[in-house]
Amino acid sequence: MANDNRVALVSGANKGIGLEIARQLAQAGLRVVIGARDEGRARAAVDDLASQGLVAQSVRLDLDDEESIMGAAATIAAEHGRLDVLVNNAGIFDFADGPPSTASLAAVRRVIDTNFLGALAVTQAMLPLLRAAPTGRIVNLSSSLGSLAGNGDPTSSYYSQRFIGYNASKAALNMLTVQLHEELRDTPVVVNSVSPGFVKTDLTGYGTMTPEEGAKLPVHYALGGEESGRFVEPGGETPW
Ligand code: NAP
């Protein structure tokens, strides 16, 4: 295992792509903090990594609960004094979502609340800690479904996937990437939107990649490079 002193927080790291991101960052030697809204599920994830000889700690982090977000930031500040890597991974999909004409408004609200406002709240809470790191890195788990260009291009493979809530939540997350990148231009903090690919997890139950494969690109951006303000997927650059 590499020896790396960096501290990384992964939200929604108790399962799916987030758990695999946590595993791969721990394998790279980082000090990983598993963010999870349920303490039992967080403990199970820590135990899972421990069974492979990997050390991780957990913190309660519910994107829909501001108090838990502020509490997580306070815990990381007290224990580490900084945060080198923030992976905004936690997210939801709702089967009551759908095309603009028929999607359930309640579902759209839920999805945007968690996927966009939740990620924004976590980012704001962690930013002072990221600024305290030598090179803070933010990876926003976006989706190619958030590409405005793809949604309006009949030749795009994402064209027919009309989920107004989910797709808009990821387009909004991309706006966070763009604006934060510009705001932090003169700082060492970098921020990117990474689409993991089409990964079979509990999110929808569908996918062609394993969570382990889906974690690779987010981990690449979490670990290094000076690139910032990009939107990428496993095949390369994604059109905004
Ligand atoms: P997943 O297996 O369903 O995992 C989602 C994770 O997010 C779980 O740990 C879940 O925790 C957590 N979460 C949901 N709402 C939360 C909240 N309010 N507060 C804290 N944690 C919360 O899904 P996944 O496929 O790994 O998705 C991870 C990320 O990748 C998401 O942002 C998703 O949009 C994105 N993504 C996935 C795909 C894909 O093909 N799977 C494609 C593009 C982008 P609980 O266990 O407590 O529910």
Side-chain angles (χ1 to χ4, degrees):
M1 192 197 301
N3 192 8
D4 192 320
N5 215 24
R6 284 181 286 174
V7 181
L9 170 66
V10 185
S11 68
N14 55 287
K15 68 175 183 180
I17 300 166
L19 175 58
E20 293 310 316
I21 292 172
R23 193 189 314 279
Q24 290 175 26
L25 290 177
Q27 279 164 345
L30 275 72
R31 291 187 281 169
V32 172
V33 183
I34 292 193
R37 56 181 163 179
D38 179 273
E39 283 171 19
R41 291 197 280 266
R43 251 194 321 275
V46 170
D47 290 348
D48 178 349
L49 297 196
S51 72
Q52 296 181 316
L54 300 168
V55 180
Q57 72 175 104
S58 69
V59 73
R60 200 178 93 74
L61 180 63
D62 182 342
L63 269 61
D64 301 326
D65 172 2
E66 227 172 301
E67 222 169 90
S68 87
I69 295 173
M70 299 318 292
T75 300
I76 294 169
E79 291 185 19
H80 303 287
R82 67 170 205 280
L83 183 63
D84 299 271
V85 176
L86 168 64
V87 183
N88 280 317
N89 165 80
I92 57 169
F93 180 86
D94 195 313
F95 281 98
D97 196 355
S101 55
T102 56
S104 149
L105 266 183
V108 171
R109 247 186 220 115
R110 275 195 295 276
V111 171
I112 289 179
D113 259 2
T114 300
N115 294 5
F116 173 56
L117 292 174
L120 176 60
V122 172
T123 303
Q124 287 186 344
M126 300 300 161
L127 210 45
L129 292 167
L130 286 153
R131 284 180 185 274
T135 50
R137 275 168 209 295
I138 302 170
V139 178
N140 289 326
L141 262 284
S142 185
S143 165
S144 305
L145 297 181
S147 164
L148 293 174
N151 277 264
D153 174 4
T155 67
S156 163
S157 48
Y158 311 117
Y159 179 71
S160 58
Q161 306 298 309
R162 283 197 197 111
F163 304 104
I164 186 65
Y166 185 80
N167 297 15
S169 76
K170 296 301 185 179
L173 188 64
N174 285 346
M175 184 60 81
L176 170 63
T177 296
V178 171
Q179 289 205 356
L180 199 56
H181 162 69
E182 294 301 334
E183 203 182 341
L184 298 176
R185 242 181 205 290
D186 300 328
T187 78
V189 183
V190 304
V191 50
N192 292 290
S193 274
V194 180
S195 173
F198 189 34
V199 184
K200 190 164 164 40
T201 64
D202 291 345
L203 192 78
T204 63
Y206 301 106
T208 53
M209 295 163 67
T210 64
E212 192 182 343
E213 291 166 341
K216 289 216 165 98
L217 196 58
V219 165
H220 174 79
Y221 275 84
L223 285 180
E226 297 310 313
E227 289 166 325
S228 187
R230 293 184 67 196
F231 180 22
V232 293
E233 58 189 2
E237 206 90 24
T238 317
W240 295 102

